[in-house]
Amino acid sequence: MAWFYVLAAGALEVVWAALLKASQGFTRPLASVGTVAFMVLSFVLLAQAMRSLPLGTAYAVAGSDRAAHEAFLRAIRYLQRDALVTTADLESAP
């Protein structure tokens, strides 16, 4: 269950980061409240995961999960093909 918490915390970090941008410096109330709510929920899930996982492991996996989600969403939103590594990239690697 701890690994689920870590992955969920990483996904929620993407949500609150997007809401943070949408809040425009905390001037939009709904986006600001959403930012704080998802931020707290992300930290709570990470804290739950750290009950059975070491801090470094939990945070590294959550951060990597966040980075993977951001790259995937960026590729979809902006149709950036270079944001994702394809199997062709892996096959051409030395």
Side-chain angles (χ1 to χ4, degrees):
M1 195 68 173
W3 290 109
F4 170 77
Y5 290 147
V6 169
L7 295 177
L12 291 178
E13 282 188 27
V14 175
V15 174
W16 71 253
L19 287 172
L20 181 63
K21 183 177 181 180
S23 74
Q24 296 181 354
F26 290 103
T27 57
R28 292 187 169 174
L30 188 59
S32 299
V33 170
T35 299
V36 173
F38 280 104
M39 192 179 288
V40 169
L41 187 56
S42 174
F43 289 138
V44 166
L45 289 175
L46 194 57
Q48 289 294 322
M50 288 189 300
R51 287 183 174 190
S52 61
L53 295 174
L55 168 70
T57 302
Y59 197 73
V61 172
S64 300
D65 183 47
R66 177 186 46 83
H69 278 97
E70 286 177 358
F72 181 71
L73 292 176
R74 188 179 316 120
I76 291 173
R77 183 173 181 186
Y78 300 111
L79 298 175
Q80 293 179 344
R81 298 184 72 154
D82 59 340
L84 294 176
V85 176
T86 64
T87 56
D89 295 331
L90 296 176
E91 291 171 357
S92 65

